[in-house]
Amino acid sequence: MVCLGNICRSPLAEGILRQKITERNLEVEVHSSGTSNYHISESADSRMISTARRHGIDISNHKARQFVVNDFDYYDKIYVMDGQNFRNVSRLARNDEDRSKVQLIMNVVEPASHFEVPDPYYSGNDGFELVFKMLDEACEKIADNIETKKR
């Protein structure tokens, strides 16, 4: 899961997907990062921690990290939150195999829609709740896809 600073959208997506795969007893590793180095080692935004907590998800131990080229070697899928994240991650790709791993997360819900998950950092509480709803829907589809492949 990748966003800009790894303090709002991507840690929430990580937390949501972890909860869904745990509930389904799936063995999948989920992590998040940001394309910038603005917040390395910082906790998730307190407003996002509160939003997650309202939905029974704990992201309070999250520490931001920056996306690195070696992440292509370690992860099968790289879900990004918006077009800028997509471009930033894709620029780091070394080859077509790396590029094929990068996908806008909302395309899981509606293929080829190119919907973006808005950055709630400068918005009010409604923005954080909207992001939760979007990511919850996308993570449900991702978990469904993982579960189907495991059968």
Side-chain angles (χ1 to χ4, degrees), residues 3-20:
C3 69
L4 178 63
N6 193 218
I7 61 167
C8 286
R9 297 170 289 176
S10 58
L12 180 63
E14 176 186 348
I16 293 170
L17 186 55
R18 280 181 187 219
Q19 182 183 55
K20 290 181 183 303

Side-chain angles (χ1 to χ4, degrees), residues 28-99:
V28 177
E29 195 168 331
V30 182
H31 290 282
S32 63
S33 61
T35 58
S36 76
N37 62 1
Y38 304 150
H39 300 287
I40 292 174
S41 298
E42 290 182 21
S43 298
D45 184 286
S46 61
R47 297 165 295 173
M48 193 54 84
I49 292 171
S50 295
T51 299
R53 188 174 291 130
R54 279 194 302 278
H55 294 278
I57 298 168
D58 183 6
I59 61 170
S60 63
N61 291 324
H62 172 79
K63 296 295 179 209
R65 66 180 276 281
Q66 188 173 15
F67 184 88
V68 295
V69 172
N70 290 348
D71 287 340
F72 286 112
D73 298 327
Y74 196 72
Y75 299 105
D76 298 324
K77 298 279 187 184
I78 299 167
Y79 294 106
V80 297
M81 302 297 136
D82 62 37
Q84 187 62 50
N85 304 146
F86 185 90
R87 288 184 292 279
N88 289 341
V89 170
S90 294
R91 270 194 283 270
L92 294 174
R94 299 160 296 192
N95 52 46
D96 288 341
E97 182 181 351
D98 286 357
R99 274 185 286 285

